Amino acid sequence: MGVESMRRYFFTLPIYYEIEFKTKKNKTVLVGANWFRNIHFHLKNKVKQHYHKLVAEQLESFSEDKKIEQFKTHYKLYYKTSSCDMTNISSLIEKFVLDGFKESGLIIDDNVKYHLSSKFEVVEQDKKNPRIEIIVDEI
């Protein structure tokens, strides 16, 4: 009997979002829980859909037909400024990512039966390309 290899997926997502306005200058915001809890529900939905789309676009390069059952995630943060709060960002991005995985069909669900662990790591400052890199490992 052969051993089935576990799958690993890599994703990169921005941690800033540009809010577009019709009558004033656009505003770039750090996507974090503190900011997100205070915004209008229409903008909340727009930001969530934006991240779901980014996840779906990156999933197009994978040709898997079988959903991952159990998995763990690892988030690597590359921050722009040292005042960045990792848990504020990573908790919100994780929610968007897992919902995007489920919506795109990569995972069955993101509840405790399937999503067994998350690891969060601050890597380094990157003023030109602040981002969060995500590794998903099938267990």
Side-chain angles (χ1 to χ4, degrees), residues 23-116:
T23 59
K24 60 182 179 178
K25 187 178 175 185
N26 291 352
K27 181 178 179 183
T28 301
V29 296
L30 179 62
V31 177
N34 289 342
W35 167 75
F36 195 72
R37 73 170 178 240
N38 295 320
I39 63 173
H40 191 275
F41 71 92
H42 286 294
L43 182 54
K44 281 184 181 184
N45 191 53
K46 190 173 183 178
V47 172
K48 285 191 297 190
Q49 293 308 315
H50 173 72
Y51 276 88
H52 288 190
K53 181 181 175 197
L54 293 173
V55 167
E57 288 170 355
Q58 292 182 52
L59 277 170
E60 288 176 2
S61 65
F62 302 112
S63 60
E64 303 292 339
D65 58 350
K66 181 182 170 199
K67 291 183 181 186
I68 293 176
E69 291 191 27
Q70 291 186 319
F71 63 97
K72 60 183 178 179
T73 54
H74 182 177
Y75 298 86
K76 296 180 172 189
L77 178 65
Y78 295 81
Y79 59 91
K80 185 174 185 175
T81 65
S82 61
S83 62
C84 188
D85 182 338
M86 182 189 62
T87 55
N88 242 334
I89 297 164
S90 57
S91 61
L92 185 59
I93 298 288
E94 180 176 49
K95 179 63 179 155
F96 294 159
V97 165
L98 294 178
D99 288 349
F101 290 164
K102 186 176 173 185
E103 185 178 286
S104 296
L106 178 65
I107 62 174
I108 295 171
D109 205 340
D110 61 353
N111 65 35
V112 296
K113 182 178 174 185
Y114 303 102
H115 183 204
L116 302 184

